Amino acid sequence: MTTTNTTTATAATTSTADLQDGIATAEAARTRLDFAKAAPKVFRAIVGLDAAARQGLDPALVELIQIRASHLNHCAYCLHMHTNDARKAGEREDRLHMVAVWREARHFFTPKEQAALALTEAVTLVADGGVPDTVYAEAAAHFDDQELAHVLSLILTINTWNRVALATGKVAGTDERATG
């Protein structure tokens, strides 16, 4: 039993080291432009929009919205970043695991969070059928006009960040906020 536990612990340590090496290798191999350096005014404008959008919103809700949009956009960079941010803010692991399937696990989320997640999906996938009146009405029932405008702004912002990260080949596991 001791041998198995030692082997398992060594494998976990090796896996973490391998992950860090893999992240470093992927980042070193990245050949696309550094958006923040190439268009600093645009980058700062998006940062400003992001900061303004968050104002007055529950930080846990902010992360749920950003996680769901990042799922839908297949943005591993932003998904990694925002799940880590959610954990740091005290979000429970079981809820993080359920965000992608929230409709099948509604009991993990409040009605207000469900309305925000539904609106996030509709706005993120707007080309697939617009934003249905029922989805908008449900969100409007849970948020006052100012909150709803901020939720919409946050959805627009994370979709922009996802597209920047995907277009410029950002590597999941890196977080340039700490250095930039």
Side-chain angles (χ1 to χ4, degrees):
M1 191 88 164
T2 303
T3 304
T4 303
N5 287 341
T6 303
T7 303
T8 303
T10 301
T13 303
T14 302
S15 294
T16 301
D18 289 345
L19 175 62
Q20 293 303 319
D21 288 345
I23 291 168
T25 300
E27 183 62 17
R30 191 165 67 93
T31 59
R32 296 188 183 185
L33 70 84
D34 181 330
F35 185 81
K37 287 182 182 174
K41 287 182 181 180
V42 176
F43 183 81
R44 285 192 304 274
I46 300 169
V47 169
L49 176 60
D50 188 281
R54 294 165 183 262
Q55 289 182 354
L57 295 179
D58 175 13
L61 181 66
V62 167
E63 296 307 330
L64 292 176
I65 289 168
Q66 293 180 124
I67 289 166
R68 187 62 187 130
S70 297
H71 281 144
L72 295 169
N73 288 320
H74 303 270
C75 185
Y77 177 82
C78 293
L79 183 59
H80 183 265
M81 180 186 302
H82 293 296
T83 54
N84 281 340
D85 288 350
R87 283 184 192 96
K88 289 175 189 169
E91 187 58 76
R92 296 187 337 250
E93 285 295 320
D94 56 347
R95 282 174 35 103
L96 291 176
H97 293 293
M98 294 296 117
V99 174
V101 293
W102 69 270
R103 290 179 191 279
E104 291 78 29
R106 291 179 182 267
H107 56 284
F108 281 89
F109 305 98
T110 68
K112 187 174 188 173
E113 290 168 338
Q114 291 174 41
L117 290 168
L119 187 61
T120 299
E121 290 178 357
V123 173
T124 299
L125 303 173
V126 70
D128 292 347
V131 178
D133 289 340
T134 55
V135 171
Y136 185 87
E138 185 65 22
H142 289 281
F143 298 97
D144 66 30
D145 285 352
Q146 183 177 4
E147 290 174 315
L148 185 56
H150 281 260
V151 167
L152 283 168
S153 298
L154 183 67
I155 296 166
L156 299 174
T157 304
I158 189 57
N159 275 281
T160 299
W161 283 129
N162 289 164
R163 282 153 177 77
V164 168
L166 290 165
T168 61
K170 292 293 190 191
V171 175
T174 61
D175 185 344
E176 295 169 1
R177 297 175 301 179
T179 60

